[in-house]
Amino acid sequence: MKTYHLLIPAIFMAACSPKIPQSGRAEKRFSLEDKTVSIITTAENTSLRLSPAGSLTFKDSPQPLETQVAVFVDPNHTFQSITGIGAALTDASAEVFAKLSKEKQQEFLTAYYDKEKGIGYTLARTNINSCDFSSGSYTYVAEGDKDLKTFSIDHDKQFKIPFIKAATQAAGGKLTLFVSPWSPPAWMKTNNSMLKGGKLKPEFNQTWANYYVKFIKAYEAEGVPVWGLSVQNEPMATQTWESCIFTAEEERDFIKSYLGPTLHKQGLGSKKLIAWDHNRDLIYQRASTILNDPEAAKYVWGIGFHWYETWTGAGMNFENLKRVHEAFPDKNLIFTEGCVEKFRLDQVDEWRLGERYGTSLLNDFNSGTTAWTDWNILLDEKGGPNHVGNFCFAPVHADLPNDKLIYTNSYYYLGHFSKFIQPGAKRIISSASRDMLQTTAFLNPDGKVVVIVLNLSDDKIPYQLWISGKAAETSSLPHSITTLIF
């Protein structure tokens, strides 16, 4: 089992800043004059982990031949803006972090949040009430307190809030945070349990809407700004852990009659409200039911989604994201959770972990996604803690008995996106002439172009990076991900 310590040198990049409109064509055409391409690579069976791998220069290139492999990039057409990339700061992550030595805590914070030495996370999620990645079930109110007079977040002050504050400080003082409930308190539900599904009792619709407001205001009073919230984590899944079922119609009606109006009345109308927060398989049905209703849609910032539709044996369904983006282009798509399940310590070096992340990130962004949030940012050497035994992989695990951090290759694959794509970046066209290469690209606010090339094959693939009649020759290593910056 390998343990990697990340020391990534800063990439020297150009500082030109063309003004870019919200969508469509760039107002200033992109020039390749005097541009040098910096290459950053992670590859299987090599020592390359987010490693500088040389530079390229552009040369005049006529019409490419059909026999040549090329990645075509066009910075003159821009699409969705990127809000950020990050991970969930759960109870489990906070508890594991607290058990690390001060030295390892600092290493962890640098690795995830430092923009030069780490991978520069800017986005975060946390749980309202307990979730499976908590040491036990809990809420913030006493049994039966419909008026929420006993509401208190004292539970979160021990581990979670200090952890979020440490991450925010490491990120430079700003971290875009959204919050999600897994279940209301048991007494508000039809099954009288926070676990195993059940539904919110209709008589508690307003109480539950007030609960979100109490939570957000309590966090902000503790110095933790909240950017947004989702209505319900995985509202179609009856889990052995905290869960609560909403049909599309029930979620729509709760948003338009209770949660949306309550947020506005309480001065929280600017918070970004995220619907669905579940898998890609039903995302169009869910989005259309909610967003085709103007009274619900006016409160909704975007549609959240996870990647676990694969539990059926199917693949990740990126086409469904495209359908939502086509039908509702004024709403945002946000990836709110994903992890590799069924943790085993002897599998932390398997290359499939990172390739799952690379595939999802690249295709989610190409399908119109504006923000991407991993699940637990940190877990222990058992894949927990988790109070129902649902142990999972994280990009970084703490080997607590030995006070070490284990970096899986998922961490590096994520870094190929989060380190180089700045908040406010716009996706641009990147198109490969062979399906062995997958690609996406972005134009950052500071004028840098970021091109990402993913190779899931066993072959080394020579190709040219081609832009407006100029090309730079390079190769993609087997089972690799490369970020090209100019």
Side-chain angles (χ1 to χ4, degrees):
M1 181 173 63
K2 302 174 184 176
T3 301
Y4 298 105
H5 300 279
L6 184 67
L7 289 172
I8 307 172
I11 307 300
F12 183 77
M13 302 175 187
C16 55
S17 298
K19 184 180 178 183
I20 304 300
Q22 287 298 306
S23 62
R25 292 183 63 85
E27 292 182 0
K28 179 180 177 181
R29 292 192 66 83
F30 189 84
S31 171
L32 287 174
E33 187 176 351
D34 299 324
K35 293 291 193 302
T36 298
V37 183
S38 297
I39 307 171
I40 311 297
T41 297
T42 295
E44 188 180 24
N45 299 322
T46 73
S47 61
L48 299 173
R49 300 292 184 272
L50 269 173
S51 303
S55 61
L56 308 173
T57 55
F58 288 99
K59 298 178 181 179
D60 290 337
S61 176
Q63 169 67 51
L65 301 175
E66 291 179 293
T67 54
Q68 293 177 299
V69 182
V71 170
F72 303 107
V73 177
D74 186 355
N76 296 302
H77 297 272
T78 62
F79 301 93
Q80 80 272 18
S81 295
I82 304 305
T83 299
I85 300 170
L89 309 180
T90 58
D91 290 304
S93 297
E95 291 168 24
V96 173
F97 178 79
K99 293 176 182 177
L100 290 169
S101 67
K102 294 296 183 184
E103 178 187 5
K104 289 300 173 181
Q105 287 181 350
Q106 187 56 57
E107 179 188 330
F108 167 86
L109 293 170
T110 298
Y112 269 117
Y113 292 104
D114 192 288
K115 293 175 175 57
E116 303 296 338
K117 298 177 182 177
I119 60 174
Y121 271 7
T122 56
L123 183 65
R125 181 193 194 203
T126 200
N127 47 296
I128 302 174
N129 292 335
S130 55
C131 64
D132 50 329
F133 281 93
S134 303
S135 292
S137 295
Y138 67 87
T139 73
Y140 305 111
V141 294
E143 180 79 15
D145 179 13
K146 184 175 181 179
D147 296 326
L148 308 183
K149 292 179 180 179
T150 59
F151 191 95
S152 170
I153 58 167
D154 283 351
H155 172 279
D156 294 4
K157 293 179 183 178
Q158 183 178 5
F159 295 115
K160 197 163 59 169
I161 288 176
F163 182 48
I164 294 170
K165 287 183 175 180
T168 302
Q169 183 178 5
K174 180 183 178 183
L175 193 58
T176 300
L177 174 71
F178 68 99
V179 298
S180 305
W182 269 243
S183 174
W187 52 269
M188 291 190 192
K189 295 175 64 184
T190 56
N191 66 343
N192 295 308
S193 172
M194 293 184 71
L195 315 181
K196 301 179 180 179
K199 292 193 173 190
L200 178 67
K201 293 178 182 178
E203 61 264 34
F204 293 121
N205 277 329
Q206 187 58 57
T207 300
W208 186 227
N210 294 342
Y211 203 99
Y212 299 78
V213 171
K214 288 274 192 181
F215 180 86
I216 292 170
K217 288 188 174 182
Y219 260 56
E220 295 196 331
E222 289 296 316
V224 179
V226 175
W227 167 82
L229 67 157
S230 66
V231 180
Q232 169 63 45
N233 179 74
E234 299 188 347
M236 287 301 293
T238 299
Q239 306 284 22
T240 58
W241 53 87
E242 287 81 349
S243 44
C244 185
I245 303 302
F246 286 80
T247 66
E249 292 79 11
E250 288 166 344
E251 185 177 10
R252 175 198 64 199
D253 294 346
F254 180 65
I255 289 170
K256 73 177 181 180
S257 299
Y258 297 97
L259 185 54
T262 299
L263 290 169
H264 278 258
K265 288 175 185 176
Q266 294 295 322
L268 301 179
S270 63
K271 305 303 181 187
K272 312 304 183 188
L273 185 59
I274 301 162
W276 186 221
D277 201 1
H278 203 164
N279 297 330
R280 300 184 189 97
D281 49 3
L282 301 183
I283 191 171
Y284 187 82
Q285 178 265 341
R286 198 72 176 209
S288 61
T289 300
I290 295 169
L291 298 179
N292 282 333
D293 184 322
E295 289 304 304
K298 70 182 181 182
Y299 295 115
V300 176
W301 174 83
I303 304 295
F305 64 95
H306 301 180
W307 73 18
Y308 308 114
E309 67 268 22
T310 54
W311 72 271
T312 63
M316 292 189 282
N317 198 328
F318 305 111
E319 287 299 314
N320 285 351
L321 302 181
K322 295 176 184 177
R323 300 295 85 80
V324 173
H325 189 54
E326 289 168 346
F328 306 102
D330 59 328
K331 300 298 182 182
N332 297 276
L333 287 167
I334 174 172
F335 183 88
T336 47
E337 183 185 319
C339 73
V340 178
E341 300 167 281
K342 300 180 180 179
F343 177 79
R344 283 180 53 178
L345 187 60
D346 62 358
Q347 294 179 354
V348 294
D349 287 326
E350 291 191 3
W351 208 252
R352 66 183 176 91
L353 304 176
E355 291 191 331
R356 175 86 178 264
Y357 277 85
T359 300
S360 182
L361 281 151
L362 187 149
N363 286 281
D364 288 336
F365 283 126
N366 280 348
S367 301
T369 295
T370 63
W372 208 96
T373 327
D374 186 27
W375 189 207
N376 298 278
I377 196 170
L378 174 69
L379 293 172
D380 65 18
E381 71 281 357
K382 299 176 182 177
N386 185 293
H387 72 94
V388 292
N390 181 35
F391 301 117
C392 296
F393 286 90
V396 177
H397 286 267
D399 177 359
L400 291 175
N402 296 299
D403 193 37
K404 293 182 179 179
L405 294 176
I406 303 165
Y407 295 84
T408 75
N409 59 76
S410 301
Y411 168 83
Y412 300 101
Y413 272 73
L414 276 156
H416 276 273
F417 294 82
S418 63
K419 183 173 176 64
F420 305 110
I421 302 167
Q422 302 167 358
K426 288 184 175 293
R427 185 174 65 84
I428 59 176
I429 290 292
S430 186
S431 173
S433 66
R434 298 287 191 278
D435 64 359
M436 300 95 74
L437 298 180
Q438 298 181 51
T439 181
T440 189
F442 303 85
L443 180 60
N444 275 330
D446 61 5
K448 295 186 291 287
V449 169
V450 176
V451 181
I452 297 167
V453 177
L454 178 67
N455 181 357
L456 303 179
S457 79
D458 297 331
D459 300 321
K460 180 178 180 180
I461 303 172
Y463 69 96
Q464 56 178 222
L465 180 66
W466 193 97
I467 305 175
S468 300
K470 293 183 180 293
E473 301 283 345
T474 186
S475 293
S476 175
L477 296 175
H479 293 282
S480 71
I481 185 168
T482 298
T483 303
L484 304 109
I485 309 150
F486 54 93

